[in-house]
Amino acid sequence: MTDTQRYITVDDVSFGYEANQLTLDSISLIIGRGEFVAVIGPSGCGKSTLLRLLAGLVEPTRGKLTVDGQPICGPGLDRAVVFQDYSLFPWMTCRDNIVLALEQAKLGANKTERRQIALDFLSLVGLAQDGDKLPGQLSGGMRQRTAIARALAINAPILLMDEPFGALDEITRARQQDLLLDLWQGGQGDEKAGKTVFFVTHDVEEAVILGDRVMVMGTRPGRLVRDIQVTLPRPRTRMGSLQHPNFSPLRDLLLNELNLVVDELLLPGSSHGAHI
Amino acid sequence: MNSLDAKSRLYGLMSFLVIVIFLAGVYGLLTDVLRLPNAVLFPGWQKIIPAFGLSFKQLLEGLASSMGLLAPAVAASVLTGVAAGVIIGLRPKIEAVLLPFIRAMNPLPSTMLIPYAIAVMPTFWFSSWIIIYIGVLWPVLMNTLHGIAMLEPRWIDNARCLNLTGRHLVFKVVLPGAMPQIFAGINAGLIRSFLLLTVAEMIGSKAGLGYFVQYYADFAKYDRVIVGMIWLSFIVVLIMTLFDLLKKRILYWTKKR
Ligand SMILES: Nc1ncnc2c1ncn2[C@@H]1O[C@H](COP(=O)(O)OP(=O)(O)O)[C@@H](O)[C@H]1O
Ligand SMILES: [Mg+2]
């Protein structure tokens, strides 16, 4: 493999929150530059933990993680993180949240310029009018768009997203997926703007709609069980993907994998009702 | 939305005034009209109102003197309490060592320290000052520590992902996030400061609202005592109302919709 194909590497990583606990068990994973990787798995299998390892918020008990050849030691502004419904400080307006991130990333020459950049990115996600609002004054979908605007504004080459649309209603979620597809695909092809995305979700359709690859995680201990290429053409739209003949087989394949994972947890023979 | 808010606040104020007037009426009925309770301990309005006129200048001077003691003491407690809280609260190992000590100090009445305060401080004013200062310091410090300990992990994660450190971390995340709890501490401290005022003003000084009440109580002049208590309550309510307004301004983001 060339170096661009080995952009993010996770090499035999294990992790436990407590001393003799195994939350993640020897995870190995390679992500190429500009790749969109979706991760699914039953609740509690360690998806967020893996993302926190990549973010540098926690350190592995064993193994090694690297970005662009450099070991990950601590959080960095090269990796923008979007959490589920809580990426913003509630005491700052949406714009100020982004301005603070820009300040930290040393982008924009002065306050005025940073405010302008913040507004530009808010417009990009359709929130041009809402910069002066507090996160608490926005709907869940608007908050997540602000968080995405912030992640894009600091221009990090890597986006780590932990169920960013998990708390949204169906219609809002569908719109956010299309928006994310637009924004991400808009940057691809451009060597500098193209972003590498690690996207955690518990929604199989979302994983297929968005990802180039879908990783399926198993539980107890958390591990990778399958790595499936999504054979849908780019650029995609949500609708286009749903209607593509490859969509259903992929979804069924993934659902089946998840069922197998969940079945291992249940008593033998109770393969029904395995819900993710 | 806003006008409704103002309306309900006006309604609350009106109801409060009605209740106050009613209670004053009942008191007047019992004392001035029926002369039921002991007239020395419970003077009627006929005696209190003239006493108020006679004391007015003294009350204003007392207010100035009390505020001259209270404001610097409370301000110093808040500043040092919050600063120490941030310094200790961001260092869990140090906090673990100091917390039992701070917890033990908090409920001890600082009035116990009066002999030491008089011996150690250069003037009587400073002795009074430090009694209030110490009494207010602990609730502010404890609540600041509590507020920092209760900062939501997601805010900390966020701050870390943005590489926020030092001054930025303190002023953009730690202080705003802990501010609701800090205000609870200042609130408790303020209430305690009013209690301590009376005692603190007995040290050497011959002025202040607490002193006024205590002085006339010693001479069994209860009309003046009641005047002093009403005046003191009025000032306390005024200060707490202003404090609430300040709190609403600073904690704008915690408003429930
Ligand atoms: N801070 C923590 N301390 C201890 N255990 C944790 C902590 N966070 C998560 N866990 C445990 O680790 C496992 C994986 O959690 P998580 O990564 O959040 O899973 P997922 O995101 O896939 O739902 C779960 O069993 C969870 O209870
Ligand atoms: Mg999770």
Side-chain angles (χ1 to χ4, degrees), chain B:
Chain B
M1 171 80 190
N2 224 328
S3 72
L4 196 87
D5 214 42
K7 218 173 177 177
S8 69
R9 218 183 295 164
L10 188 69
Y11 182 78
L13 184 64
M14 297 298 274
S15 322
F16 171 71
L17 286 178
V18 167
I19 292 172
V20 168
I21 290 167
F22 174 76
L23 289 177
V26 170
Y27 183 77
L29 184 74
L30 290 173
T31 55
D32 294 316
V33 182
L34 300 173
R35 299 183 188 283
L36 280 181
N38 179 325
V40 175
L41 283 173
F42 299 98
W45 292 118
Q46 281 166 338
K47 295 190 77 178
I48 295 174
I49 291 170
F52 185 78
L54 289 174
S55 323
F56 194 66
K57 192 158 161 281
Q58 247 180 312
L59 290 176
L60 285 183
E61 282 166 7
L63 176 63
S65 166
S66 290
M67 289 307 122
L69 177 63
L70 203 67
V74 171
S77 307
V78 169
L79 283 179
T80 50
V82 171
V86 169
I87 291 167
I88 299 169
L90 291 179
R91 293 165 180 78
K93 280 181 191 152
I94 297 181
E95 183 175 356
V97 175
L98 291 182
L99 203 56
F101 173 74
I102 296 168
R103 284 216 177 102
M105 293 305 285
N106 183 36
L108 294 182
S110 58
T111 49
M112 289 189 340
L113 299 174
I114 285 176
Y116 300 95
I118 292 172
V120 170
M121 300 309 276
T123 66
F124 282 132
W125 187 86
F126 271 113
S127 311
S128 311
W129 177 89
I130 202 162
I131 294 302
I132 298 179
Y133 170 79
I134 291 176
V136 178
L137 180 68
W138 302 118
V140 173
L141 176 56
M142 284 234 315
N143 277 279
T144 305
L145 290 175
H146 192 210
I148 292 173
M150 291 201 327
L151 283 175
E152 298 201 18
R154 60 201 208 186
W155 296 338
I156 307 287
D157 283 351
N158 251 311
R160 290 183 62 203
C161 288
L162 292 175
N163 276 354
L164 282 165
T165 51
R167 192 166 44 90
H168 273 81
L169 181 66
V170 169
F171 287 101
K172 303 271 185 186
V173 180
V174 174
L175 277 180
M179 205 46 90
Q181 204 59 45
I182 292 174
F183 263 87
I186 299 174
N187 197 86
L190 266 179
I191 290 168
R192 195 181 272 193
S193 76
F194 298 129
L195 291 174
L196 290 173
L197 186 65
T198 332
V199 186
E201 281 178 351
M202 295 316 291
I203 308 173
S205 86
K206 292 276 170 283
L209 294 175
Y211 173 76
F212 180 95
V213 173
Q214 192 64 52
Y215 178 82
Y216 286 108
D218 289 347
F219 287 104
K221 299 274 286 175
Y222 287 100
D223 48 351
R224 301 272 190 138
V225 170
I226 290 176
V227 163
M229 291 197 303
I230 292 174
W231 179 243
L232 191 58
S233 319
F234 172 73
I235 299 300
V236 168
V237 169
L238 190 71
I239 291 175
M240 294 315 285
T241 307
L242 290 177
F243 177 73
D244 273 352
L245 287 178
L246 178 73
K247 183 163 83 178
K248 269 196 191 125
R249 256 193 101 81
I250 292 184
L251 298 182
Y252 57 93
W253 57 275
T254 58
K255 198 168 47 185
K256 293 273 175 292
R257 271 152 298 104

Side-chain angles (χ1 to χ4, degrees), chain A:
Chain A
M1 263 195 178
T2 67
D3 277 353
T4 50
Q5 284 169 310
R6 299 175 54 89
Y7 186 44
I8 301 174
T9 68
V10 178
D11 186 16
D12 197 22
V13 163
S14 297
F15 177 84
Y17 282 98
E18 265 118 65
N20 43 26
Q21 177 200 31
L22 200 57
T23 307
L24 292 177
D25 185 20
S26 23
I27 304 247
S28 290
L29 164 66
I30 295 168
I31 300 174
R33 198 188 288 270
E35 229 180 347
F36 196 125
V37 174
V39 179
I40 57 170
S43 170
C45 71
K47 305 183 291 296
S48 297
T49 306
L50 182 53
L51 183 132
R52 292 173 67 79
L53 282 160
L54 288 167
L57 289 168
V58 290
E59 281 172 26
T61 22
R62 195 161 58 87
K64 201 170 85 172
L65 299 106
T66 64
V67 169
D68 214 3
Q70 302 298 314
I72 293 177
C73 45
L77 288 152
D78 57 331
R79 285 151 285 148
V81 187
V82 179
F83 297 104
Q84 178 179 329
D85 199 33
Y86 56 72
S87 303
L88 307 167
F89 296 118
W91 47 84
M92 291 180 202
T93 62
C94 292
R95 192 186 52 210
D96 287 348
N97 265 288
I98 300 178
V99 168
L100 175 64
L102 289 169
E103 241 168 62
Q104 289 303 110
K106 301 193 170 56
L107 293 169
N110 51 44
K111 194 104 190 169
T112 327
E113 215 174 294
R114 284 193 278 271
R115 288 163 80 95
Q116 190 52 51
I117 298 175
L119 277 185
D120 291 347
F121 278 92
L122 281 170
S123 315
L124 192 66
V125 297
L127 292 175
Q129 309 302 321
D130 302 290
D132 287 326
K133 291 195 179 133
L134 293 169
Q137 295 171 313
L138 300 179
S139 69
M142 290 158 101
R143 272 201 291 274
Q144 282 314 73
R145 275 188 278 163
T146 309
I148 290 170
R150 185 179 72 174
L152 295 176
I154 63 174
N155 203 19
I158 298 171
L159 289 183
L160 305 174
M161 309 178 94
D162 192 355
E163 306 198 27
F165 311 142
L168 306 181
D169 63 82
E170 195 118 7
I171 294 171
T172 316
R173 192 180 331 149
R175 292 207 180 152
Q176 309 289 324
Q177 289 165 356
D178 262 331
L179 176 70
L180 182 61
L181 276 175
D182 262 5
L183 293 172
W184 180 74
Q185 285 165 168
Q188 296 318 104
D190 179 345
E191 184 68 29
K192 281 192 207 134
K195 295 193 190 301
T196 310
V197 184
F198 184 85
F199 188 103
V200 170
T201 177
H202 57 249
D203 180 337
V204 172
E205 296 200 348
E206 183 168 80
V208 177
I209 287 165
L210 296 173
D212 292 322
R213 259 162 87 189
V214 180
M215 307 275 186
V216 182
M217 281 182 73
T219 187
R220 289 187 210 174
R223 65 214 136 79
L224 288 177
V225 291
R226 281 297 291 271
D227 178 351
I228 292 163
Q229 290 289 327
V230 177
T231 50
L232 293 173
R234 297 261 187 204
R236 297 184 200 158
T237 60
R238 181 186 138 83
M239 251 318 148
S241 300
L242 285 174
Q243 288 162 353
H244 196 277
N246 288 358
F247 184 84
S248 306
L250 275 167
R251 183 194 54 201
D252 295 343
L253 174 65
L254 286 168
L255 274 174
N256 192 42
E257 288 294 337
L258 277 173
N259 269 324
L260 290 176
V261 167
V262 175
D263 279 350
E264 290 172 18
L265 293 174
L266 304 172
L267 294 172
S270 60
S271 65
H272 294 294
H275 236 61
I276 6 111

